[in-house]
Each structure stands twice: as structure tokens, then as C-alpha cells.
Amino acid sequence: MIISRRITEHLQKMLKKFPIVSLTGPRQSGKTTLLKTAFSHYKYFNLERIDIREMILADPSGFLNDCGSRVIFDEAQNLPELFSYIQVISDERNTNGQYILSGSQSFILNNHISQS
């Protein structure tokens, strides 16, 4: 059973206003389930997976251009190098709701996305 979360509506509103939105919280609190359920039309990448990180790092710009404009990066703190690329691509596209960054280690994630 999936529990309806009030934050879902807020995330949807924020995605209409901003190109990049982040969701942080403690482990096992339902972030991934919420994002996969509420934003099933977004492509999903779990950056806990080493193979996914290596694939992205091989060509970050190419990867971001190929994966489209609706993407979730879960456990985003595992690939802080990606944030500058995301910023550039989102600025070039100039549309809202492009990326959702999620992670459980908000202090690390927040340090790297403050500029983006």
C-alpha cells in the first residue's frame, strides 16, 4: 500500500516554477517510492549504482542530452560532478521541471547543488 504524501502536490508546484528540484530526507523514508509513483513519466537513475555513475561520467553532456528533459537522479550526492553539467543543460533549455535530485545525505547534496 502506498501512502499518499502531501509533499507530492508541493513538488509538482515547484517543478512548474523551477528547472531543478531536490528532495532530501532520511533513508528508508519513502523518497524513491514517492518519486517513482508521482513522477512515473520521468526517467529514473539510481546513482547508488556504480555502473550508472560510470556510464554518466564517460560523457556527462552527451548523457544528459540523450536522456531527455524529465529525469530523476536518486542518491544524487554520489555523483556531485554531475551538478555543473545539469546546471548548464537546464540553463540552455530554459524550461521548468527538468530534473529532480533526491538524496538521503542532504548536507552533502546541499553543498553541491547550492549553485545549481
Side-chain angles (χ1 to χ4, degrees):
M1 179 174 115
I2 296 177
I3 299 170
S4 178
R5 308 276 181 154
R6 285 185 278 176
I7 196 168
T8 303
E9 186 177 318
H10 181 68
L11 287 170
Q12 291 167 335
K13 287 179 186 177
M14 292 299 101
L15 287 166
K16 290 178 182 176
K17 294 181 179 186
F18 300 101
I20 305 167
V21 173
S22 69
L23 175 65
T24 62
R27 288 197 169 276
Q28 303 299 311
S29 61
K31 295 179 304 298
T32 298
T33 302
L34 180 147
L35 293 175
K36 283 182 162 183
T37 303
F39 303 99
S40 59
H41 56 291
Y42 276 62
K43 290 183 182 177
Y44 173 86
F45 297 95
N46 185 338
L47 299 182
E48 283 282 350
R49 291 187 46 181
I50 295 169
D51 60 328
I52 300 278
R53 292 194 312 254
E54 289 174 348
M55 176 181 64
I56 294 170
L57 284 174
D59 182 10
S61 294
F63 176 85
L64 290 172
N65 282 317
D66 290 346
C67 70
S69 63
R70 301 281 186 252
V71 183
I72 297 169
F73 290 109
D74 201 0
E75 298 299 344
Q77 75 276 358
N78 288 311
L79 196 58
E81 302 90 342
L82 186 60
F83 298 138
S84 292
Y85 291 96
I86 287 174
Q87 179 182 352
V88 169
I89 298 277
S90 70
D91 287 349
E92 289 172 354
R93 290 181 181 154
N94 195 29
T95 59
N96 294 332
Q98 296 176 55
Y99 298 103
I100 302 172
L101 306 177
S102 176
S104 56
Q105 298 177 4
S106 62
F107 59 93
I108 293 173
L109 186 61
N110 288 336
N111 285 338
H112 291 303
I113 66 171
S114 62
Q115 176 64 31
S116 299

